[in-house]
Amino acid sequence: MDGFHKEEFDYHILDEGFTAKDIPNQKINEVSFSDDKDAFYIADLGDILRNHLRWLKTLSHVTPFYAVKSNDSRATVNTLSCQ
């Protein structure tokens, strides 16, 4: 993805053998030993992109609009704006 730089976003690229399902357990372990109790969310940008492309293919006559207030993550917004 052109224009994405790790320092712009708080994201992690999973090592081989790990899945998105492993991340909540890792995050819970980190938070349980820390005073940092900030909210977090986990998203699979590949899944977001696949669903968006599926929408465009299946409902080509309907223009999708993304409600940025639901998730204003720059990574998510940039992923959807590349289409």
Side-chain angles (χ1 to χ4, degrees):
M1 293 183 186
D2 295 332
F4 281 90
H5 302 286
K6 184 165 178 23
E7 56 275 357
E8 291 181 33
F9 309 108
D10 184 15
Y11 71 90
H12 303 279
I13 296 175
L14 299 178
D15 294 328
E16 188 174 337
F18 288 93
T19 68
K21 292 179 182 181
D22 297 324
I23 300 301
N25 290 334
Q26 180 182 353
K27 186 66 175 176
I28 290 167
N29 288 335
E30 289 174 13
V31 170
S32 65
F33 295 109
S34 163
D35 291 335
D36 181 17
K37 305 296 183 202
D38 291 336
F40 67 94
Y41 61 88
I42 298 169
D44 181 341
L45 293 178
D47 194 40
I48 292 170
L49 183 58
R50 279 187 295 279
N51 284 331
H52 180 64
L53 294 175
R54 186 172 148 216
W55 173 289
L56 294 176
K57 180 180 177 184
T58 307
L59 300 169
S60 60
H61 60 285
V62 179
T63 303
F65 292 92
Y66 179 69
V68 175
K69 68 181 179 180
S70 67
N71 179 353
D72 65 352
S73 159
R74 287 179 38 186
T76 301
V77 173
N78 284 349
T79 297
L80 294 173
S81 70
C82 292
Q83 298 307 308

